[in-house]
Amino acid sequence: GPKVLQIPSHQIIDMGQMVTLNCDPVSNHLYFYWYKQILGQQMEFLVNFYNGKVMEKSKLFKDQFSVERPDGSYFTLKIQPTALEDSAVYFCASSPYGRGGTGQLYFGEGSKLTVL
Amino acid sequence: AQKVTQTQTSISVMEKTTVTMDCVYETRDSSYFLFWYKQTASGEIVFLIRQDSYKKENATEGHYSLNFQKPKSSIGLIITATQIEDSAVYFCAMREGSNTNKVVFGTGTRLQVLP
């Protein structure tokens, strides 16, 4: 089936540094998402993105977080500066539908972030 | 606000039996979409099955089916003839139909299928 690619699969950084997580969505998909998962538990919604804009975000999407997809390249999640509580697995997802679609998501394999 | 609740944290069943996983949801919307996803031990998350709120028939997909009880805001996942490889964490999720593309997940149910 359609694949979402995430780079890197694992990153270890020191607290206070910047990190960028990259996502290559399925090519004809319109909506992009980031989710945060800690210790294999609940998938927490962070943000969704459509037509170059953040559409919705949760309380977990702190001011230190930002997303963009410049010129149809990677959809990125940037955290600057990082904090210890940002350690988690971050999943990117994409959906082929815009508003009015079902919202069925296709997930990447996750980027594990460890903040020391 | 939309909310999804899975009260079963862990279930163990014998291979080749049938298992039901529970999920209840909260929404003020009259139109919404309900999903089940599976997360394998490797972390991969795979879409399994979807129920559209306006459809009365329970969705089925291979050995997965849903028990949609709209008056109870309930969407159970039924797996028949379970196999060892069905062992995974199963997430229920919902997207409200109007003015949002946010998909909210439950806390997951870990299924262990024993030989």
Side-chain angles (χ1 to χ4, degrees), chain A residues 5-48:
Chain A
L5 301 176
Q6 288 189 240
I7 302 168
S9 55
H10 191 187
Q11 183 138 13
I12 302 172
I13 59 171
D14 291 324
M15 184 176 63
Q17 285 190 312
M18 181 192 77
V19 67
T20 300
L21 305 180
N22 298 291
C23 172
D24 188 8
V26 179
S27 61
N28 60 344
H29 284 192
L30 300 175
Y31 248 94
F32 313 125
Y33 297 74
W34 284 103
Y35 283 84
K36 179 181 180 181
Q37 187 180 45
I38 297 177
L39 295 177
Q41 296 180 8
Q42 185 163 10
M43 299 283 292
E44 304 267 18
F45 170 81
L46 287 176
V47 65
N48 59 21

Side-chain angles (χ1 to χ4, degrees), chain A residues 1-114:
Chain A
K3 290 283 188 185
V4 173
L5 301 176
Q6 288 189 240
I7 302 168
S9 55
H10 191 187
Q11 183 138 13
I12 302 172
I13 59 171
D14 291 324
M15 184 176 63
Q17 285 190 312
M18 181 192 77
V19 67
T20 300
L21 305 180
N22 298 291
C23 172
D24 188 8
V26 179
S27 61
N28 60 344
H29 284 192
L30 300 175
Y31 248 94
F32 313 125
Y33 297 74
W34 284 103
Y35 283 84
K36 179 181 180 181
Q37 187 180 45
I38 297 177
L39 295 177
Q41 296 180 8
Q42 185 163 10
M43 299 283 292
E44 304 267 18
F45 170 81
L46 287 176
V47 65
N48 59 21
F49 188 88
Y50 173 72
N51 198 25
K53 294 183 238 180
V54 169
M55 301 304 291
E56 298 165 286
K57 58 184 180 180
S58 72
K59 293 177 185 176
L60 294 177
F61 194 77
K62 304 178 293 184
D63 291 344
Q64 299 91 318
F65 287 45
S66 63
V67 292
E68 63 176 355
R69 193 186 188 205
D71 298 325
S73 60
Y74 286 140
F75 175 53
T76 62
L77 173 66
K78 184 185 292 185
I79 309 174
Q80 181 178 25
T82 50
L84 295 176
E85 60 264 27
D86 297 330
S87 293
V89 179
Y90 291 84
F91 286 93
C92 175
S94 67
S95 173
Y97 310 105
R99 289 202 180 279
T102 66
Q104 180 179 325
L105 302 178
Y106 295 78
F107 281 90
E109 297 194 349
S111 293
K112 183 176 181 180
L113 176 64
T114 302

Side-chain angles (χ1 to χ4, degrees), chain B residues 23-108:
Chain B
C23 175
V24 293
Y25 57 89
E26 295 176 28
T27 178
R28 296 179 184 174
D29 225 329
S30 58
S31 172
Y32 47 90
F33 304 93
L34 300 162
F35 308 89
W36 280 89
Y37 289 84
K38 169 184 177 181
Q39 186 172 31
T40 64
S42 68
E44 183 185 14
I45 301 169
V46 178
F47 164 77
L48 295 178
I49 191 169
R50 181 183 97 227
Q51 180 78 40
D52 300 345
S53 64
Y54 60 87
K55 291 187 178 177
K56 293 184 179 178
E57 304 80 22
N58 289 321
T60 62
E61 194 72 50
H63 77 143
Y64 304 107
S65 62
L66 296 178
N67 180 16
F68 182 38
Q69 298 185 58
K70 198 170 182 179
K72 295 183 179 180
S73 297
S74 170
I75 185 73
L77 173 68
I78 302 166
I79 307 177
T80 56
T82 51
Q83 303 161 11
I84 301 294
E85 50 266 35
D86 291 324
S87 298
V89 178
Y90 290 80
F91 289 98
C92 180
M94 175 175 71
R95 184 206 148 205
E96 290 178 330
S98 56
N99 299 318
T100 180
N101 270 54
K102 181 178 173 182
V103 180
V104 175
F105 283 75
T107 50

